[in-house]
Amino acid sequence: MSETSARERLKELIQELAIVRGKVTLSSGKEADYYIDLRRVTLHQEASGLVGEVMLDLLDEAKLEFTNVGGLTMGADPVGTAIMHTARAKQRAIDAFVVRKAQKSYGMGRQVEGPSVEGRDVIVLEDTSTTGGSALTAVEGVRKAGGNVIAVAVIVDRDTGAKERIEEEAGVPYLFAYGKDELGL
């Protein structure tokens, strides 16, 4: 599938499957009159592959060099694995990782799971972001694990300050595949 058609088809699936209208309280505590449930897309049999294509294209267009992708569990998990599988199909070696909300107190005691991010250039992912809090938690965890965060990338930006907060606090670029206006929100 071409980049344009993959991007357009994913947009259709986001609009069809993920946008729920009505009053909701977001994880940030803020209220909104719509909710974007991107797990309905990132875990969907057709859309998952499109997520990998669109997000990898977004990162490549930004000319970013990286070896690992991931973010705070659970919103980022299927995004990271979609990118990993898309990259593998293109003979590219990109590993995924998962950041726990808190470091484990048992076993290996890790906060970042998967292949090591130590000394690696990584992209922190999120499905969507309102305040940037989840992505910033992931950035902090990756940095503690020795990873070099070069950008944060999300599928949908709600245009509610996450970009500005992440760029200021984490000091890295914030990229997104779709803005709320493009989705008709």
Side-chain angles (χ1 to χ4, degrees), residues 4-180:
T4 304
S5 60
R7 191 175 197 299
E8 284 304 310
R9 180 62 181 143
L10 181 57
K11 177 181 164 185
E12 289 171 4
L13 289 169
I14 290 170
Q15 291 171 319
E16 177 186 327
L17 302 172
I19 298 173
V20 181
R21 303 211 183 258
K23 287 275 184 222
V24 292
T25 302
L26 305 171
S27 63
S28 63
K30 294 185 176 186
E31 283 198 357
D33 56 6
Y34 66 92
Y35 182 71
I36 305 170
D37 186 355
L38 282 170
R39 283 174 295 272
R40 293 179 179 189
V41 169
T42 60
L43 297 170
H44 182 270
Q45 49 84 25
E46 178 188 0
S48 176
L50 298 171
V51 165
E53 284 185 57
V54 169
M55 294 302 287
L56 189 57
D57 287 342
L58 173 72
L59 297 169
D60 287 347
E61 286 169 17
K63 300 194 182 331
L64 299 173
E65 298 289 329
F66 57 96
T67 59
N68 302 64
V69 294
L72 195 67
T73 198
M74 125 163 213
D77 298 350
V79 184
T81 55
I83 292 171
M84 177 183 66
H85 289 298
T86 298
R88 175 75 179 140
K90 296 178 179 194
Q91 281 82 48
R92 291 175 62 185
I94 297 174
D95 289 326
F97 62 87
V98 175
V99 180
R100 296 174 178 275
K101 291 182 171 95
Q103 188 170 345
K104 285 182 7 181
S105 61
Y106 56 91
M108 300 288 290
R110 296 171 63 180
Q111 184 177 8
V112 179
E113 299 289 355
S116 178
V117 297
E118 187 174 357
R120 303 289 191 112
D121 290 335
V122 308
I123 305 292
V124 166
L125 303 169
E126 188 59 71
D127 53 7
T128 187
S129 193
T130 302
T131 64
S134 293
L136 288 170
T137 298
V139 166
E140 181 182 342
V142 167
R143 287 178 173 163
K144 281 183 189 172
N148 177 34
V149 178
I150 60 169
V152 170
V154 303
I155 301 170
V156 176
D157 178 53
R158 294 179 58 92
D159 194 23
T160 52
K163 175 179 175 38
E164 296 77 9
R165 181 176 177 204
I166 288 167
E167 288 182 346
E168 180 182 321
E169 293 183 26
V172 297
Y174 173 95
L175 309 166
F176 58 92
Y178 304 93
K180 72 174 195 165

